[in-house]
C-alpha cells in the first residue's frame, strides 16, 4: 500500500493493526493490515502478498 493513502480530501488513514495472513488461510496473504479514518469512520483492510 502506498505510504500516502488518504481519503479524497487528503486526510490520511491511521494504521491500526497487522497480523500474519497464514493462520487465516494456508495460501493466503503474508500480512493483513487494518487502517482507519476516524472522521468518516472508514476502515480499510489491505493484504500484502510479498
Amino acid at each position: 500500500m502506498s505510504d500516502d493513502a488518504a481519503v479524497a480530501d487528503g486526510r490520511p488513514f491511521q494504521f491500526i493493526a497487522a497480523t500474519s495472513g497464514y493462520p487465516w488461510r494456508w495460501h493466503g496473504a503474508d500480512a493483513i493490515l487494518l487502517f482507519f479514518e476516524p472522521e468518516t469512520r472508514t476502515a480499510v483492510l489491505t493484504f500484502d502478498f510479498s
Side-chain angles (χ1 to χ4, degrees):
M1 182 167 187
S2 173
D3 290 337
D4 60 353
V7 291
D9 66 3
R11 284 176 306 200
F13 284 97
Q14 298 174 358
F15 173 77
I16 302 298
T19 186
S20 173
Y22 299 116
W24 307 104
R25 182 161 173 125
W26 184 269
H27 295 288
D30 296 319
I32 302 169
L33 299 97
L34 174 64
F35 296 87
F36 183 69
E37 197 290 305
E39 189 172 318
T40 61
R41 299 183 51 84
T42 303
V44 175
L45 282 173
T46 187
F47 305 91
D48 175 28
F49 294 89
S50 52

